[in-house]
RNA sequence: GGAGAGGUGGCCGAGUGGUCGAAGGCGCACGCUUGGAAAGCGUGUAGGCAAGCAAUUGUCUCCAGGGUUCGAAUCCCUGUCUCUCCGCCA
């Protein structure tokens, strides 16, 4: 959501910024609506001022028992009433029309974001580890999982449909171990406060973070008008909606391990095999609420919090700075972490760490008082730390052995009761 | 699910049609006092929008949205949330 004042002052820059998102210039249309609205407001205010003044006199006349004068004044003011009502109605309509457009415009990209059309134009900015080489042909995770008898897509399809999986036994435990470890790491080492949020959410919350109104098709709506969370970014960021924070309490850092639900409406045919793209997956999310001055540094800090998970799991990865065409609608700047998957012989996204600036804060009305006591919108950030389902894929593929067993990363062994390897149990 | 009571500023709380954007208190800020602090005293202390270089002025906002009225924190309707009792329930 944008401040119309910003558009008023920097119409050209605004249109240029939207142009980077491939959008037509909007400012002319918006400013026409804005001018009309301001005119209406000015006229309305004037009518209200007159009405209020006379109404006050009526009150005084009544107080003095001067009924005649009161009647006279009431007659005088009656036509103003219609004017005020009409003005209020116009203002309502015009504000709605303006906000409808403002609510569907994407965030402005940071200057550091490179131009580009799609993920092929993302820029690699760092790399950790080397893709592992195997003496045998590396398999994909779903082959390994099915051979172990602990990853069952067929049964999942029977009870839930496509894009679901049933995990069992040691693999199920490994999934849980990954989630526990990641959440512990973010809360114990990186200063995030653990949160257990609601998984069903109101429309307002999804509007706040930007999933609504434009991306309703990507999430599941319940029969009572709520939404299954597509990511815990939504509840965690909305924790501060409609609040006035003190600068002293910032930054706030939240983390949660939750299932996420996505309809994957637009991705028919993509990643249909295996666990890469599911309707339901677990994710450890990080959210930070901070000041405009500190948000850039917070972004780097959060990126580091995500990177360290992969490094501690000893998984090779690279850091990508997303280009203009691939950066999410709500974000000014996004880093993706891509983990190496030997089975796919490719780097695949496992974390996305983004800075939203004040774009979400405006939609949520989340503010803080600065040192001068003036209310300001906070800056919000979110990142995966990490996607658990994809981390499971990465561990299985990177730690696979020739005989189909899976070694367990050192850092996870305490979470697996000391177990060091997953073998087929016949 | 049924019945009832409520939602007022950063917080608590008064206020049932007019001079109420709102008493009082707490908190906070500044000043006085003090060797320094506490206490005490004094002053100040909501946000949005519009106009203005500014001081300022107007307007809107007492959960949200509509409505009644010359005039609404106060009356009516709808929604929402909280609390109490009953029912159901992991």
């Amino acid at each position: 959501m944008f401040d119309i004042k910003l558009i008023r002052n920097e119409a050209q820059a605004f249109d240029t910024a939207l142009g980077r998102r491939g959008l037509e210039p909007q400012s002319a249309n918006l400013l026409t609506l804005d001018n009309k609205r301001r005119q209406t407001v000015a006229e309305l205010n004037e009518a209200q001022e007159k009405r209020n003044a006379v109404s006050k006199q009526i009150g005084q006349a009544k107080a003095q028992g001067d009924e005649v004068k009161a009647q006279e004044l009431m007659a005088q003011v009656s036509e103003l009433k219609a004017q005020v009502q009409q003005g209020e109605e116009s203002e309502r309509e015009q504000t709605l029309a303006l906000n409808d457009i403002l609510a569907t415009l994407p965030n402005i990209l940071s200057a550091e974001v490179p131009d580009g059309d799609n993920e092929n134009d993302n820029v690699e900015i760092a790399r950790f580890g080397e893709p592992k080489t195997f003496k045998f042909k590396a398999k994909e995770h779903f082959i390994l999982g099915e051979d172990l008898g602990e990853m069952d897509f067929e049964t999942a399809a029977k009870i839930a449909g496509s894009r679901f999986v049933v995990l069992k036994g040691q693999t199920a435990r490994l999934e849980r171990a990954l989630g526990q470890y990641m959440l512990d790491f973010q809360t114990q080492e990186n200063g995030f406060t653990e949160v257990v949020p609601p998984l069903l959410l109101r429309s307002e919350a999804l509007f706040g973070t930007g999933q609504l109104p434009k991306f309703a098709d990507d999430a599941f709506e319940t029969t009572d008008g709520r939404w299954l969370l597509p990511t815990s970014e939504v509840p965690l960021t909305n924790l501060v909606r409609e609040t006035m924070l003190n600068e002293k309490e910032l930054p706030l850092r939240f983390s949660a391990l939750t299932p996420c639900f996505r309809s994957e409406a637009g991705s028919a045919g993509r990643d249909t095999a295996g666990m890469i793209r599911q309707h339901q997956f677990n994710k450890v999310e990080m959210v930070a609420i901070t000041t405009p001055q500190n948000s850039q540094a917070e972004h780097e800090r959060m990126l580091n919090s995500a990177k360290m998970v992969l490094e501690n799991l000893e998984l090779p990865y690279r850091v990508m700075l997303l280009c203009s065409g691939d950066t999410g609608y709500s974000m000014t700047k996004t880093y993706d972490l891509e983990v190496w998957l030997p089975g796919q012989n490719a780097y695949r996204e496992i974390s996305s760490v983004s800075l939203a600036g004040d774009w979400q804060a405006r939609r949520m009305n989340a503010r803080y008082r600065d040192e001068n006591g003036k209310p300001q919108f906070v800056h919000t950030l979110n990142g995966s730390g990490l996607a658990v389902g994809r981390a499971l894929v990465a561990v299985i593929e990177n730690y696979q052995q020739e005989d189909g067993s899976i070694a367990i990363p050192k850092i996870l062994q305490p979470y697996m009761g000391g177990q060091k390897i997953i073998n087929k149990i016949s």
Side-chain angles (χ1 to χ4, degrees):
Chain A
M1 192 78 143
F2 290 106
D3 187 356
I4 187 70
K5 278 186 279 190
L6 180 141
I7 301 168
R8 239 180 258 157
N9 296 335
E10 295 166 48
Q12 192 65 46
F14 182 76
D15 283 338
T16 308
L18 289 185
R20 296 194 68 198
R21 296 272 195 180
L23 291 175
E24 297 294 309
Q26 301 280 333
S27 68
N29 180 29
L30 286 168
L31 291 180
T32 306
L33 289 170
D34 179 47
N35 282 332
K36 231 165 53 184
R37 195 188 140 268
R38 278 200 288 169
Q39 172 116 30
T40 303
V41 168
E43 285 165 8
L44 173 62
N45 279 2
E46 202 178 317
Q48 285 167 327
E49 185 181 352
K50 280 190 213 153
R51 182 202 65 189
N52 289 349
V54 180
S55 288
K56 213 167 247 185
Q57 288 176 38
I58 294 171
Q60 283 162 355
K62 290 227 176 192
Q64 288 160 12
D66 191 344
E67 200 53 42
V68 179
K69 189 174 170 200
Q71 288 299 330
E72 227 175 75
L73 289 164
M74 274 155 86
Q76 215 182 91
V77 83
S78 65
E79 79 182 58
L80 277 173
K81 191 193 167 184
Q83 231 181 72
V84 168
Q85 260 172 350
Q86 206 176 45
E88 281 174 345
E89 198 175 319
S90 309
E91 194 214 336
R92 221 176 287 147
E93 281 167 13
Q94 289 166 3
T95 303
L96 218 67
L98 189 62
N99 284 346
D100 273 356
I101 300 176
L102 289 175
T104 58
L105 294 176
N107 205 340
I108 296 210
L109 294 166
S110 157
E112 297 120 75
V113 172
D115 280 313
D117 296 330
N118 53 47
E119 70 246 36
N120 298 322
D121 297 321
N122 295 341
V123 176
E124 180 177 322
I125 57 173
R127 203 178 262 241
F128 169 87
E130 284 300 314
K132 284 187 192 171
T133 50
F134 294 84
K135 285 178 283 180
F136 52 94
K137 186 166 168 23
K139 294 175 178 158
E140 293 201 65
H141 66 281
F142 52 91
I143 304 291
L144 293 158
E146 282 172 334
D147 284 350
L148 283 168
E150 297 190 335
M151 192 178 286
D152 188 345
F153 294 94
E154 270 182 49
T155 304
K158 277 195 233 166
I159 60 179
S162 66
R163 293 200 188 279
F164 287 94
V165 67
V166 173
L167 300 179
K168 287 193 268 191
Q170 308 162 90
T171 303
R173 189 179 190 186
L174 182 60
E175 222 269 352
R176 181 160 57 91
L178 274 164
Q180 300 304 331
Y181 160 65
M182 290 176 195
L183 185 59
D184 281 349
F185 179 68
Q186 300 308 351
T187 56
Q188 305 303 305
E189 306 291 325
N190 291 326
F192 289 86
T193 301
E194 182 167 351
V195 176
V196 178
L199 308 183
L200 288 174
L201 302 165
R202 293 175 168 285
S203 300
E204 288 85 343
L206 278 87
F207 179 87
T209 34
Q211 281 78 13
L212 291 180
K214 256 196 111 168
F215 303 104
D217 289 346
D218 294 342
F220 290 109
E221 188 174 11
T222 64
T223 52
D224 67 351
R226 278 178 252 255
W227 300 82
L228 287 173
L229 81 171
T231 157
S232 42
E233 168 200 344
V234 180
L236 294 184
T237 308
N238 275 280
L239 288 177
V240 296
R241 71 176 291 117
E242 292 158 49
T243 55
M244 182 72 76
L245 300 157
N246 282 319
E247 185 161 0
K248 277 178 255 167
E249 14 178 0
L250 299 176
L252 293 170
R253 298 189 179 107
F254 303 118
S255 187
L257 166 57
T258 71
C260 304
F261 300 93
R262 297 189 184 175
S263 70
E264 295 297 343
S267 49
R270 289 184 72 191
D271 301 314
T272 47
M275 286 183 62
I276 290 288
R277 193 174 298 276
Q278 302 265 287
H279 286 309
Q280 175 190 331
F281 58 95
N282 288 318
K283 180 157 61 72
V284 170
E285 183 74 3
M286 303 173 281
V287 159
I289 313 294
T290 185
T291 61
Q293 297 75 41
N294 295 332
S295 63
Q296 298 268 355
E298 187 71 26
H299 194 195
E300 300 301 320
R301 183 188 190 277
M302 188 177 276
L303 174 64
N304 197 52
S305 299
K307 278 160 64 176
M308 288 311 293
V309 175
L310 288 170
E311 294 184 18
N312 292 344
L313 288 168
E314 300 175 71
L315 293 169
Y317 71 88
R318 58 180 190 176
V319 183
M320 308 296 285
L321 174 59
L322 299 197
C323 72
S324 56
D326 203 27
T327 300
Y329 169 89
S330 314
M331 302 305 161
T332 65
K333 184 181 174 187
T334 297
Y335 295 114
D336 271 6
L337 298 186
E338 296 184 344
V339 69
W340 176 253
L341 297 184
Q344 291 202 0
N345 200 38
Y347 283 101
R348 292 302 305 261
E349 176 188 343
I350 193 166
S351 170
S352 199
V353 182
S354 301
L355 171 59
D358 66 3
W359 192 88
Q360 294 179 324
R362 288 181 185 281
R363 296 167 81 94
M364 298 188 300
N365 196 22
R367 295 176 296 172
Y368 74 98
R369 275 187 204 283
D370 66 18
E371 60 219 348
N372 303 316
K374 272 210 65 142
Q376 309 282 355
F377 288 108
V378 297
H379 275 200
T380 58
L381 304 98
N382 63 82
S384 2
L386 313 165
V388 178
R390 287 190 181 180
L392 180 70
V393 169
V395 167
I396 290 175
E397 293 197 7
N398 280 280
Y399 282 83
Q400 61 180 297
Q401 326 268 334
E402 188 157 19
D403 63 358
S405 63
I406 312 293
I408 296 171
K410 259 197 219 79
I411 196 111
L412 295 181
Q413 289 171 10
Y415 290 88
M416 294 290 287
Q419 198 176 332
K420 293 190 168 63
I421 192 157
I422 294 179
N423 274 307
K424 183 167 185 173
I425 300 170
S426 45

